Amino acid sequence: MFTGLIEDVAKVVKSAESGGGLALSVECNLNTDEINIGDSISIDGACRTVINKNGKILDFFTMNETLKCIAPFSEFVNMERAMRLSSRLDGHLVSGHVDTNAKIAVIKKDGYAKIFGFECDTTLIALKGSIAINGVSLTVCNAEKNYFEVSVLPETLNKTNLQYLRRFDLVNVEYDMIAKYIYKFNAPKKEITREFLIENGF
């Protein structure tokens, strides 16, 4: 579990197909003495497991199932170590499970901040609700059908790889966890008909 508060922007030093997945190595500025093999780390919002470390370089392996969900890597990735239950939750609850990708449609200045507009399914996105973009905890400031916006302060921009994003880039999106469960529990139940039973192997 993560908070969406990015600890480091790491440089990708290796990204290559390997053994039916993707081998990824990043050079980070974190204290790697505090990181152990097997630790969970969010890389651009997707939870990964450390499989090796060599000084400041950490190695990860990404399964094909994860590759189906995530956007292509850029030169720099956001990193966050798993949260401690004793820590303050300053962002929001982020699972590290990417739900979809969104395409950047708009980037514009708004006074002190910068507005990013994204195109994707917005069924689970609420105005003023939380959302994670490349693992960054943000607040939705506009939500329409298949389009939403977030407002990003310079402090957040300068400490994440959002600063490198350009129009038409793809990003990883994780919807608010609470919204997903509420939607799931309230989804209309299918009527059990003869056709339904046949579709499901009965």
Side-chain angles (χ1 to χ4, degrees):
M1 193 69 69
F2 307 93
T3 66
L5 298 184
I6 303 306
E7 295 183 278
D8 186 36
V9 178
K11 181 178 176 61
V12 174
V13 295
K14 177 185 177 182
S15 177
E17 291 185 10
S18 174
L22 185 79
L24 176 70
S25 298
V26 302
E27 185 175 9
C28 68
N29 297 304
L30 300 174
N31 181 0
T32 53
D33 290 337
E34 297 178 353
I35 297 174
N36 300 309
I37 306 302
D39 281 1
S40 293
I41 294 182
S42 169
I43 304 289
D44 269 358
C47 181
R48 314 296 172 85
T49 301
V50 179
I51 61 171
N52 192 37
K53 66 176 185 175
N54 181 14
K56 291 292 185 181
I57 296 179
L58 300 176
D59 297 332
F60 305 87
F61 180 78
T62 305
M63 300 179 294
N64 283 328
E65 182 61 29
T66 302
L67 291 174
K68 293 175 187 176
C69 304
I70 62 175
F73 293 110
S74 58
E75 184 180 358
F76 298 97
V77 292
N78 294 325
M79 293 185 66
E80 182 194 352
R81 291 170 293 178
M83 66 180 290
R84 293 188 176 96
L85 289 178
S86 60
S87 300
R88 296 178 64 177
L89 182 58
D90 288 326
H92 74 281
L93 289 175
V94 179
S95 68
H97 301 156
V98 174
D99 292 306
T100 190
N101 300 146
K103 182 171 69 175
I104 300 175
V106 172
I107 301 178
K108 59 186 178 183
K109 293 209 73 172
D110 182 31
Y112 189 57
K114 187 172 280 190
I115 299 290
F116 287 80
F118 302 92
E119 294 176 349
C120 75
D121 181 9
T122 54
T123 302
L124 295 172
I125 296 176
L127 182 63
K128 306 302 180 185
S130 296
I131 196 162
I133 304 294
N134 278 359
V136 183
S137 175
L138 296 165
T139 301
V140 177
C141 64
N142 181 27
E144 304 170 15
K145 184 176 181 181
N146 298 326
Y147 177 82
F148 74 96
E149 293 179 341
V150 295
S151 181
V152 184
L153 292 170
E155 175 73 8
T156 301
L157 205 61
N158 295 333
K159 290 187 175 180
T160 68
N161 68 1
L162 301 184
Q163 63 186 294
Y164 304 117
L165 293 178
R166 298 293 180 265
R167 194 178 175 207
F168 305 126
D169 283 350
L170 290 176
V171 297
N172 295 325
V173 174
E174 181 183 329
Y175 300 125
D176 180 67
M177 190 182 302
I178 297 172
K180 287 191 286 187
Y181 281 111
I182 292 174
Y183 181 81
K184 175 71 174 177
F185 292 147
N186 288 284
K189 303 297 187 294
K190 278 193 173 182
E191 183 182 355
I192 298 178
T193 62
R194 183 173 181 275
E195 289 73 21
F196 175 83
L197 292 172
I198 291 172
E199 283 178 16
N200 288 273
F202 291 95

